[in-house]
Amino acid sequence: MSISTTRIISHTVAVAETATACEMLAVRTGFSKGKIKDAMNKGAVWLVPPAGPMKRLRRATATLNAGEKIELHYNDEVLAKAVPSSVLVADEHDYSVWFKPSGVLAQGTMEGDHCALLRQAELHFKMQRPVFLVHRLDREASGLMLVAHSQNAAARLSALFQNNAVYKRYWVQVRGQPTAAQGGIDAPLDGKTAHTEYTVESYDAVSDTSILSIVIDTGRLHQIRRHLDGVGHP
């Protein structure tokens, strides 16, 4: 089985060039302009200015100024991926509520953002409204997510999550049947305290799997998966 790896191609402009970003990358990579345009549209091309943060470059006709660098983070496996569309549940102007299906990222990576909720929201609003990540939900999980449309809204909503002022409940399917109908798991993760509460909603003897309702007081990396796996219910 072959493993797809990211190929990074960069080009720094010594003096202002008339060639477009797409043309320069096509020369450096040997890829067709159509292939480069697809990568740009999917967020795999970055503009690195002499000072300030790097940003995605999507306009194929863009030209570069002296000192600027362009990077293509090409991963054919990532660029070939297709995911379902997230569904807008409510638009509250300063923020919107979305149902994110399984397979969709919360935000993009260096290799692209076409499979991410933030990009889907950006396109839904026809690039007329900024989008800011407020919280995360794993790619494999489906569920409700908030997207902020101003820096002020993003800061205020993020503070609510950080202060545990937002009630979140998860449903998971695990192998086996917990001995107790409900309980708590207290086990440090990454050197920090972590607590997970669970309630058994149902058990299927044929598949030997249970559906659990989960509430977490802390938000450690992959906390739910790691805690349940640790007690024998991956």
Side-chain angles (χ1 to χ4, degrees), residues 81-87 98-106 114-117 120 137-145 171 225:
K81 282 184 178 179
V83 297
S85 297
S86 300
V87 178
W98 295 80
F99 176 80
K100 184 194 82 65
S102 175
V104 176
L105 294 164
H114 65 294
C115 294
L117 169 64
Q120 291 183 349
L137 195 60
D138 289 353
R139 177 182 61 187
E140 297 84 355
S142 60
L144 296 178
M145 287 192 65
W171 282 267
R225 288 193 183 91

Side-chain angles (χ1 to χ4, degrees), residues 23-43:
E23 291 169 338
M24 283 188 284
L25 285 174
V27 170
R28 290 295 304 272
T29 62
F31 294 158
S32 68
K33 291 181 181 178
K35 202 169 189 176
I36 297 296
K37 288 179 180 179
D38 180 65
M40 296 181 81
N41 184 55
K42 292 178 177 177

Side-chain angles (χ1 to χ4, degrees), residues 70-217:
I70 187 172
E71 292 184 352
L72 168 62
H73 292 250
Y74 189 85
N75 186 312
D76 53 1
E77 186 177 291
V78 171
L79 294 174
K81 282 184 178 179
V83 297
S85 297
S86 300
V87 178
L88 177 63
V89 176
D91 182 359
E92 302 298 332
H93 184 67
D94 286 331
Y95 69 93
S96 51
V97 184
W98 295 80
F99 176 80
K100 184 194 82 65
S102 175
V104 176
L105 294 164
Q107 64 181 137
T109 66
M110 294 295 291
E111 292 81 17
D113 65 350
H114 65 294
C115 294
L117 169 64
L118 282 189
R119 180 58 174 166
Q120 291 183 349
E122 194 174 52
L123 292 174
H124 176 86
F125 292 116
K126 304 186 187 303
M127 312 295 292
Q128 298 301 307
R129 295 162 72 176
V131 294
F132 299 92
L133 189 69
V134 175
H135 61 114
R136 299 177 185 275
L137 195 60
D138 289 353
R139 177 182 61 187
E140 297 84 355
S142 60
L144 296 178
M145 287 192 65
L146 302 182
V147 173
H149 299 298
S150 71
Q151 290 184 332
N152 179 55
R156 295 175 67 183
L157 289 170
S158 295
L160 292 177
F161 279 94
Q162 292 170 2
N163 295 326
N164 291 323
V166 177
Y167 181 79
K168 296 181 290 182
R169 182 178 293 274
Y170 302 83
W171 282 267
V172 300
Q173 182 183 42
V174 300
R175 183 177 301 138
Q177 182 180 25
T179 54
Q182 58 184 15
I185 304 170
D186 282 295
L189 295 173
D190 305 320
K192 299 178 181 179
T193 59
H195 180 71
T196 300
E197 290 283 343
Y198 72 88
T199 301
V200 179
E201 299 285 344
S202 63
Y203 172 69
D204 180 63
V206 175
S207 61
D208 188 30
T209 59
S210 299
I211 300 295
L212 308 183
S213 171
I214 300 286
V215 175
I216 56 177
D217 298 330

